[in-house]
Amino acid sequence: MGLCFSLSLSLARSVLCSQFWLPDTFRYSAQLPQLMRGCGIRWFLTQKLSWSLVNAFPHSTFFWEGIDGSQVLTHFPPGNSYDLKGRVEEMLKAMNNNKDKGHVNHSAALFGFGDGAGGPTQKMLDRLKRMRDTDGLPRVQMSTPDRFFSMLEKEKTQLLTWTGELFLELHNDTYTTQAQIKKGNRECERILHDAEVLSSFALTQKNTFQYPSIKLQHLWRLLLLNQFHDVLPGSRIQLVVEDAMRYYAALVRLRRAVRQLRFYLSRTSGTPGPGAGFPAKGFSGLQEPEADP
């Protein structure tokens, strides 16, 4: 949510986002720094590795180096949360838990109602305002990701480097449980892809063809909802699984429309036979749809 919100605001101003803001996801591949730098992203924030069961991660602010040597300035908020409530004890914990004190003098505190996307309350804002300049407490100031990371950039000369994967010692086996979720996700991605490509070709064949933009948008939103980070990897309750499978079933019913589009294109091409005359082999991912269950 944070990254999407930042991107939406930035693109509205014709400015690309320079940070990868991903507080609540886990296990980061060593390929990510290279991908980030290739997209013009220099900064990375997450906090989930603070949940590790055995080994505490040794840094709060550091350079993360990928497989090819690409580096991004990385920050793990030492408050170990993305939904702080602005309380004094939380700010003291964030200050005392900073593992790179002496190397950098700033850290982030993420507050609000976290996963619920409710944002901060007035009470939270009032608490933080009182801590702007109070003896015995860290100096708290409202900021933006860009301003915060710009401050870290000025203090980066003494930062250490972590090379390779960022591994969370928690949520084990989520990549192998509930395999039907992974299967349903990939299958529905393929069906929607084929529906879009075939609909586009149908429109080129006959300009009176009604491209199903509203229907496809609705189905894409169902699919993307199930790609939320606790649904797709497996770290969610059984009720969520049941909802996800119901949405996948609605998407799979699109197969019939895909089959009809293939037949329509074969007829308008002037070549007899289902699928004949349509250059499906020229497009990766276009496959003959399976029979409806």
Side-chain angles (χ1 to χ4, degrees), residues 23-24 45-53 55-62 75-85 89-100 107-112 114 168 170:
D24 188 21
L45 181 144
T46 185
Q47 68 84 36
K48 199 61 177 280
L49 266 71
S50 65
W51 291 25
S52 283
L53 293 176
N55 300 293
F57 193 78
H59 303 297
S60 298
T61 305
F62 58 99
H75 182 68
F76 293 174
N80 292 349
S81 176
Y82 47 74
D83 58 355
L84 299 176
K85 302 301 182 287
E89 59 268 27
E90 293 173 336
M91 298 302 109
L92 288 172
K93 175 184 176 180
M95 179 181 69
N96 295 328
N97 195 44
N98 189 341
K99 299 180 176 68
D100 294 281
S107 64
L110 311 181
F111 63 97
L168 174 67
L170 191 65

Side-chain angles (χ1 to χ4, degrees), residues 7 21 54 76 82 114 126 139 159 162 170 177 182 196 201 220 223 247 253 269 283 292:
L7 279 172
W21 189 269
V54 181
F76 293 174
Y82 47 74
D126 291 343
R139 301 292 188 262
L159 292 177
W162 179 274
L170 191 65
T177 58
K182 283 81 166 176
E196 288 188 335
F201 270 100
W220 269 114
L223 179 63
Y247 294 151
R253 286 195 287 272
S269 68
F283 298 90
D292 290 332

Side-chain angles (χ1 to χ4, degrees), residues 9 12 42 163 219 279:
L9 291 180
R42 313 190 309 273
T163 302
L219 293 174

